[in-house]
Amino acid sequence: MRLGRPPVVLDLTGVTFLASMGLSLLAEHHDQCAEFGSRLVVVATERVVLRPIQITGLDGLVTIVPTVQAALST
């Protein structure tokens, strides 16, 4: 595994609904990022996105920030 790679930023600010398929993809991409020595950073501010991530516990795996700028500086 390579360390020190920049994060992979996923901007979900335009998303209006997040269902189980989207949550599954987030978990899958988290694993892929970790495999390559990076991490997944999700940009989200809306409850319709944040709540499902929190309920499923994915907020313990991925970093969630309110802006792309914040994601790039993590």
Side-chain angles (χ1 to χ4, degrees):
M1 175 168 68
R2 296 180 186 143
L3 299 176
R5 291 187 177 248
V8 173
V9 178
L10 179 61
D11 185 354
L12 299 181
T13 55
V15 173
T16 59
F17 182 76
L18 185 60
S20 60
M21 179 58 83
L23 294 166
S24 177
L25 288 171
L26 282 176
E28 182 180 326
H29 282 79
H30 164 268
D31 292 344
Q32 289 176 350
C33 287
E35 186 177 320
F36 289 102
S38 187
R39 61 196 164 85
L40 180 61
V41 179
V42 175
V43 180
T45 57
E46 297 298 322
R47 181 176 169 84
V48 295
V49 173
L50 295 172
R51 190 71 179 130
I53 292 173
Q54 293 166 341
I55 289 171
T56 58
L58 284 173
D59 59 334
L61 294 178
V62 300
T63 303
I64 301 172
V65 295
T67 67
V68 172
Q69 184 64 33
L72 296 173
S73 66
T74 61

